Amino acid sequence: MQRLLHWQGQTYEVQAEADEPLYAILEHLGLPAGTAILTAKADGKIHELQAPVGNHTEFHLLGWDAPEGKYVFWHSSAHILAEAILSLRPEAKPTIGPPIENGFYYDIDFGSSPISPEDFQRIEERFLELAGQPEYFVRKKVSLEQAIDYYEKQKNPYKVELIRELPPDDITFYESGGFVDLCKGPHLWHSGPIRAVKVLSLAGAYWRGDSRKPQLTRVYAISFPEKQLLDEYVAFLEEASKRDHRHLGRVLRLFSFHEEGPGFPFWHPKGMRLLNALQDWMRGKLLRRGYEEIKTPLILTQRLWEQSGHYENYRENMYFTEIDEQPYAIKPMNCPGSTIVYRTERRSYRDLPLRLFEFGLVHRHELSGVLTGLFRVRAFTQDDAHIYCTPDQIESEITDLLHLVNEVYDAFGFTQREIYLSTRPEKYIGSLELWAQAEGALAAALQSAGLSYQINPGEGAFYGPKIDFIVRDSLRRRWQLGTVQLDFSMPRRFGLEYIGPDGQPHVPVMIHRAILGSFERFIGVLLEHTGGELPLWLAPVQVKIVPVSEKYVEYAREIARDLAQRGVRWSIDESDEKLGKKIREAEQEKIPLIWVVGAQEAENRTVSIRDRLFRRRYDGIPLAQAIEETWKAVQSPS
RNA sequence: GCCCCCUUAGCUCAGCGGUAGAGCAACUGAUUUGUAAUCAGUAGGUCGGCGGUUCGAAUCCGUCAGGGGGCUCCA
């Protein structure tokens, strides 16, 4: 039978019998099977090199650059990791070990002989020893009885539990070296390409993610086909840790956290400059887009939350209080407050769409263990808005919204984004017809905006479908920011209506949306994206005036007055230090513009500008010109 | 909340059973500085809190608090 093989832009034609393994064909052709070629794809599925070619006629050969290549590589690495760990801890019970976005892990029950980071080096050494032999991955079909018998002898109840849930006629083991693992594959042909490994961390993980079940130890690791790639990855981790927003928040004096209020950020003066600049910009943008701003109370009666359904579904995450012996709750979301504003007036179809936004401060009781800097806090400010519209306005509203979202993300250089459309889940409210219309409107809007997106089937909220936005930062890490949710439930629960052209009351559709998500979290993401080098329009200090010596402080103060008058955020270094030191400090503060003034500048009424963004210096710029150009440059994007 | 790890001066960290250290920051003085660290000096810590073991605890054990990494990307 004729087969076509694709590799690096070339196509190879060969004759091969169905029982011939793919690697044999590759070797015959002189292709780098099991080295550069890690695995293959046939008919849309991964096809292992060691598997017979069967009836497939076309194969795409894949290397390290392909996601499938990495997947198989790391999956096989997980087996070797388990084998390495078991050789050091024979009593340990392996459970599951999948590849993940960056590397792989293996969940292991260590019983009474836990491991610690001190063991990492020995595990890595053992791993490389095993991988270097190399070990061949051999697939074996086993019967239910054989499989259970094997793991009962190993005293591994986890694997037995997994086996019992599998279709009895489709159970496979993979054997590599002396290690046998229940596994569906696919795997590398052999471990030869695995040349470098790093055990990254240990973490607790519940068996099957269930907090009532035993807690296992998750060993995270990553492996590579070349040592150099590992070195690059380690360098990436170091860069990421330098950009940690919790660290930057402290050294740039933006915000802090304290025992007195775990999960509640304290914003310092410079942090407030940033937060306010961001909010002012967003506010201006929304007002120009036909939104109107509202502000609703932080504390509202418990009865309201019962009516909204939050009390029933979200109580665990809410804070409660009491006023005049009546139960109240601190708002975890802004929507109920918004609906109260809506229904304060009799609304007509002519009023729709009604776009109400609120920079709403919400409080949520997050579990202490999940709090992480500004990424996960217990009090935060959403750039929240609720759009009330008729069903046939959904598409145009969403289209507008998508343009707005693009504009906002572009302003920060978040040019790589992913969009997910989540559709009707099993449990839902509202008619199928309404769902179909809503999902259709969201999809149509995405298409008409020319945006590519993926569908998460059944992942929508019970009250409506949604769109989620994920951006990638400069280190290619993914962050979920905005979300757009259609809601058929709350307008009904709160008895919202508008009078249609027919003179009859109708229930409006409610669109919940946030673009930044929350200002706090967004600032965290932005700090990591920029490494603290914020764009000029957001920098807490845009210009730092540095007098060469104390003699020129007076001139510096005069410049500051002019800058302040133009709304430019400034500071002066009046310390008794040498110029080099002052420059160094300003650079470390990541201030975009440093204006140096000394004898020459004071005499000629000029400044010497050091521009961090373009790494350039401009000497002898006349003061008036410098101020005018700086004023222009600090303006926020439209 | 649960698991593992961590908590020493404002920050970054060393010390790991014999009674507390460095660098930077702060303060004082000298210096008046030309584009990434001037020199000298001073001060600062009940070693996260509480309890225990010990002749003796920053160091060992327990506990509480806070922080970090995680807690279905699934054979």
Side-chain angles (χ1 to χ4, degrees), chain A residues 286 290-294 296 337-343 347 353-359 384-388 511 513:
Chain A
L286 293 174
Y291 283 79
E292 296 198 84
E293 185 167 15
I294 61 171
T296 68
S338 175
T339 67
I340 291 178
V341 173
Y342 179 92
R343 70 181 187 204
R347 305 287 179 180
L354 180 67
R355 309 181 188 96
L356 300 178
F357 79 92
E358 173 170 16
F359 292 163
D384 208 355
H386 299 93
I387 300 170
Y388 302 88
I511 302 171
R513 50 100 295 188

Short mmCIF file of all heavy atoms in Angstrom, two decimals, chain A residues 286 290-294 296 337-343 347 353-359 384-388 511 513:
data_model
loop_
_atom_site.label_atom_id
_atom_site.label_comp_id
_atom_site.label_asym_id
_atom_site.label_seq_id
_atom_site.Cartn_x
_atom_site.Cartn_y
_atom_site.Cartn_z
N LEU A 286 -15.27 55.09 28.02
CA LEU A 286 -16.64 54.59 28.12
C LEU A 286 -17.66 55.70 27.90
O LEU A 286 -18.66 55.52 27.22
CB LEU A 286 -16.87 53.91 29.47
CG LEU A 286 -16.05 52.62 29.66
CD1 LEU A 286 -16.21 52.09 31.07
CD2 LEU A 286 -16.46 51.57 28.64
N GLY A 290 -20.90 56.10 24.81
CA GLY A 290 -22.32 56.04 25.11
C GLY A 290 -22.66 55.31 26.39
O GLY A 290 -23.81 54.89 26.58
N TYR A 291 -21.67 55.14 27.24
CA TYR A 291 -21.96 54.57 28.56
C TYR A 291 -22.23 55.70 29.53
O TYR A 291 -21.78 56.82 29.34
CB TYR A 291 -20.75 53.80 29.09
CG TYR A 291 -20.51 52.44 28.48
CD1 TYR A 291 -19.92 52.31 27.23
CD2 TYR A 291 -20.83 51.29 29.19
CE1 TYR A 291 -19.66 51.06 26.70
CE2 TYR A 291 -20.59 50.04 28.65
CZ TYR A 291 -20.00 49.92 27.41
OH TYR A 291 -19.75 48.69 26.89
N GLU A 292 -22.95 55.36 30.62
CA GLU A 292 -23.12 56.31 31.70
C GLU A 292 -22.66 55.66 32.99
O GLU A 292 -22.79 54.46 33.18
CB GLU A 292 -24.58 56.73 31.80
CG GLU A 292 -25.02 57.46 30.54
CD GLU A 292 -26.28 58.25 30.78
OE1 GLU A 292 -26.17 59.37 31.26
OE2 GLU A 292 -27.35 57.68 30.49
N GLU A 293 -22.09 56.50 33.88
CA GLU A 293 -21.50 55.94 35.09
C GLU A 293 -22.49 55.96 36.25
O GLU A 293 -23.23 56.92 36.42
CB GLU A 293 -20.25 56.74 35.48
CG GLU A 293 -19.52 56.13 36.67
CD GLU A 293 -18.12 56.71 36.88
OE1 GLU A 293 -17.82 57.76 36.29
OE2 GLU A 293 -17.35 56.09 37.65
N ILE A 294 -22.47 54.87 37.02
CA ILE A 294 -23.26 54.85 38.25
C ILE A 294 -22.37 54.38 39.40
O ILE A 294 -21.24 53.92 39.17
CB ILE A 294 -24.48 53.89 38.15
CG1 ILE A 294 -24.01 52.46 37.88
CG2 ILE A 294 -25.44 54.36 37.05
CD1 ILE A 294 -25.14 51.43 37.99
N THR A 296 -23.08 52.20 43.10
CA THR A 296 -24.10 51.60 43.97
C THR A 296 -23.45 51.20 45.29
O THR A 296 -22.24 51.05 45.38
CB THR A 296 -24.74 50.37 43.29
OG1 THR A 296 -23.78 49.32 43.17
CG2 THR A 296 -25.29 50.74 41.91
N GLY A 337 -27.13 45.80 42.20
CA GLY A 337 -27.22 47.25 42.38
C GLY A 337 -27.60 47.94 41.08
O GLY A 337 -28.42 48.85 41.06
N SER A 338 -26.99 47.47 39.98
CA SER A 338 -27.28 48.07 38.69
C SER A 338 -28.75 47.89 38.32
O SER A 338 -29.39 48.81 37.80
CB SER A 338 -26.38 47.43 37.63
OG SER A 338 -26.71 47.90 36.34
N THR A 339 -29.29 46.71 38.62
CA THR A 339 -30.71 46.49 38.25
C THR A 339 -31.63 47.44 39.02
O THR A 339 -32.67 47.85 38.51
CB THR A 339 -31.15 45.04 38.51
OG1 THR A 339 -31.16 44.79 39.92
CG2 THR A 339 -30.28 44.04 37.79
N ILE A 340 -31.21 47.78 40.25
CA ILE A 340 -32.04 48.70 41.03
C ILE A 340 -32.07 50.07 40.36
O ILE A 340 -33.11 50.73 40.28
CB ILE A 340 -31.54 48.78 42.49
CG1 ILE A 340 -31.82 47.43 43.17
CG2 ILE A 340 -32.22 49.92 43.25
CD1 ILE A 340 -31.34 47.33 44.59
N VAL A 341 -30.92 50.49 39.85
CA VAL A 341 -30.88 51.77 39.12
C VAL A 341 -31.79 51.67 37.88
O VAL A 341 -32.57 52.58 37.60
CB VAL A 341 -29.44 52.13 38.72
CG1 VAL A 341 -29.43 53.36 37.82
CG2 VAL A 341 -28.58 52.38 39.97
N TYR A 342 -31.69 50.55 37.20
CA TYR A 342 -32.51 50.37 35.98
C TYR A 342 -34.00 50.53 36.29
O TYR A 342 -34.71 51.24 35.61
CB TYR A 342 -32.26 48.99 35.37
CG TYR A 342 -33.09 48.73 34.13
CD1 TYR A 342 -32.60 49.02 32.86
CD2 TYR A 342 -34.39 48.21 34.23
CE1 TYR A 342 -33.36 48.81 31.72
CE2 TYR A 342 -35.17 47.99 33.09
CZ TYR A 342 -34.65 48.29 31.84
OH TYR A 342 -35.41 48.09 30.72
N ARG A 343 -34.43 49.85 37.31
CA ARG A 343 -35.88 49.80 37.52
C ARG A 343 -36.42 51.01 38.28
O ARG A 343 -37.61 51.08 38.57
CB ARG A 343 -36.27 48.50 38.22
CG ARG A 343 -35.84 48.42 39.65
CD ARG A 343 -36.24 47.11 40.27
NE ARG A 343 -35.94 47.17 41.69
CZ ARG A 343 -35.72 46.12 42.46
NH1 ARG A 343 -35.80 44.91 41.96
NH2 ARG A 343 -35.47 46.27 43.74
N ARG A 347 -38.84 52.28 31.82
CA ARG A 347 -37.97 52.31 30.64
C ARG A 347 -38.76 52.01 29.38
O ARG A 347 -39.64 51.14 29.38
CB ARG A 347 -36.87 51.27 30.78
CG ARG A 347 -36.04 51.38 32.05
CD ARG A 347 -35.11 52.59 32.01
NE ARG A 347 -34.34 52.69 33.25
CZ ARG A 347 -33.46 53.63 33.48
NH1 ARG A 347 -33.22 54.59 32.59
NH2 ARG A 347 -32.81 53.66 34.63
N PRO A 353 -30.29 50.57 23.64
CA PRO A 353 -29.60 49.95 24.78
C PRO A 353 -29.18 50.97 25.83
O PRO A 353 -28.75 52.08 25.49
CB PRO A 353 -28.36 49.33 24.13
CG PRO A 353 -28.15 50.10 22.86
CD PRO A 353 -29.50 50.56 22.41
N LEU A 354 -29.31 50.58 27.06
CA LEU A 354 -28.90 51.41 28.19
C LEU A 354 -27.61 50.82 28.74
O LEU A 354 -27.58 49.65 29.14
CB LEU A 354 -29.98 51.41 29.26
CG LEU A 354 -29.69 52.25 30.51
CD1 LEU A 354 -29.64 53.74 30.18
CD2 LEU A 354 -30.74 51.99 31.59
N ARG A 355 -26.54 51.62 28.69
CA ARG A 355 -25.23 51.09 29.10
C ARG A 355 -24.79 51.77 30.39
O ARG A 355 -24.43 52.95 30.37
CB ARG A 355 -24.19 51.33 28.00
CG ARG A 355 -24.64 50.86 26.62
CD ARG A 355 -23.57 51.10 25.58
NE ARG A 355 -24.07 50.83 24.24
CZ ARG A 355 -24.55 51.76 23.41
NH1 ARG A 355 -24.58 53.04 23.79
NH2 ARG A 355 -24.99 51.41 22.23
N LEU A 356 -24.82 51.02 31.48
CA LEU A 356 -24.45 51.59 32.77
C LEU A 356 -23.14 50.96 33.24
O LEU A 356 -23.06 49.74 33.33
CB LEU A 356 -25.55 51.32 33.80
CG LEU A 356 -26.93 51.90 33.47
CD1 LEU A 356 -27.94 51.52 34.55
CD2 LEU A 356 -26.86 53.43 33.34
N PHE A 357 -22.16 51.78 33.49
CA PHE A 357 -20.90 51.20 34.01
C PHE A 357 -20.64 51.65 35.42
O PHE A 357 -21.12 52.69 35.86
CB PHE A 357 -19.72 51.50 33.09
CG PHE A 357 -19.11 52.88 33.22
CD1 PHE A 357 -18.05 53.11 34.08
CD2 PHE A 357 -19.57 53.93 32.43
CE1 PHE A 357 -17.45 54.36 34.18
CE2 PHE A 357 -18.98 55.19 32.51
CZ PHE A 357 -17.93 55.41 33.39
N GLU A 358 -19.90 50.82 36.12
CA GLU A 358 -19.58 51.10 37.52
C GLU A 358 -18.20 50.54 37.81
O GLU A 358 -17.95 49.37 37.55
CB GLU A 358 -20.62 50.42 38.43
CG GLU A 358 -20.24 50.53 39.90
CD GLU A 358 -21.35 50.10 40.86
OE1 GLU A 358 -22.30 49.44 40.41
OE2 GLU A 358 -21.23 50.43 42.06
N PHE A 359 -17.31 51.39 38.32
CA PHE A 359 -16.04 50.88 38.82
C PHE A 359 -16.33 50.39 40.22
O PHE A 359 -16.15 51.10 41.20
CB PHE A 359 -14.96 51.96 38.79
CG PHE A 359 -14.56 52.37 37.39
CD1 PHE A 359 -13.89 53.55 37.16
CD2 PHE A 359 -14.86 51.55 36.29
CE1 PHE A 359 -13.51 53.92 35.88
CE2 PHE A 359 -14.48 51.90 35.00
CZ PHE A 359 -13.81 53.11 34.80
N ASP A 384 -16.72 47.22 35.60
CA ASP A 384 -17.94 46.48 35.33
C ASP A 384 -18.93 47.35 34.55
O ASP A 384 -18.94 48.57 34.69
CB ASP A 384 -18.57 46.11 36.68
CG ASP A 384 -19.39 44.84 36.61
OD1 ASP A 384 -19.56 44.30 35.50
OD2 ASP A 384 -19.85 44.40 37.67
N ALA A 385 -19.72 46.71 33.71
CA ALA A 385 -20.83 47.44 33.08
C ALA A 385 -21.94 46.47 32.79
O ALA A 385 -21.71 45.26 32.65
CB ALA A 385 -20.37 48.11 31.78
N HIS A 386 -23.13 47.00 32.75
CA HIS A 386 -24.30 46.19 32.40
C HIS A 386 -25.04 46.91 31.30
O HIS A 386 -25.34 48.09 31.43
CB HIS A 386 -25.17 45.98 33.63
CG HIS A 386 -24.44 45.24 34.72
ND1 HIS A 386 -23.76 45.89 35.72
CD2 HIS A 386 -24.22 43.92 34.89
CE1 HIS A 386 -23.17 44.98 36.48
NE2 HIS A 386 -23.43 43.79 36.01
N ILE A 387 -25.25 46.17 30.22
CA ILE A 387 -25.95 46.75 29.09
C ILE A 387 -27.33 46.11 29.03
O ILE A 387 -27.44 44.88 29.02
CB ILE A 387 -25.18 46.49 27.78
CG1 ILE A 387 -23.79 47.13 27.87
CG2 ILE A 387 -25.97 47.03 26.58
CD1 ILE A 387 -22.86 46.73 26.74
N TYR A 388 -28.35 46.94 29.06
CA TYR A 388 -29.72 46.44 28.96
C TYR A 388 -30.18 46.69 27.53
O TYR A 388 -30.10 47.81 27.05
CB TYR A 388 -30.63 47.18 29.95
CG TYR A 388 -30.14 47.05 31.38
CD1 TYR A 388 -29.21 47.96 31.90
CD2 TYR A 388 -30.59 46.03 32.20
CE1 TYR A 388 -28.74 47.84 33.19
CE2 TYR A 388 -30.14 45.89 33.51
CZ TYR A 388 -29.21 46.80 34.00
OH TYR A 388 -28.74 46.69 35.28
N ILE A 511 -26.48 42.37 29.53
CA ILE A 511 -25.13 41.93 29.18
C ILE A 511 -24.20 42.40 30.29
O ILE A 511 -24.09 43.59 30.55
CB ILE A 511 -24.66 42.53 27.83
CG1 ILE A 511 -25.62 42.16 26.71
CG2 ILE A 511 -23.23 42.09 27.52
CD1 ILE A 511 -25.36 42.89 25.40
N ARG A 513 -20.40 42.78 31.48
CA ARG A 513 -19.09 42.74 30.85
C ARG A 513 -18.04 43.51 31.63
O ARG A 513 -18.32 44.52 32.28
CB ARG A 513 -19.11 43.21 29.41
CG ARG A 513 -19.76 44.52 29.07
CD ARG A 513 -18.89 45.70 28.87
NE ARG A 513 -18.15 46.15 30.05
CZ ARG A 513 -17.46 47.27 30.08
NH1 ARG A 513 -17.41 48.07 29.05
NH2 ARG A 513 -16.80 47.63 31.17
#
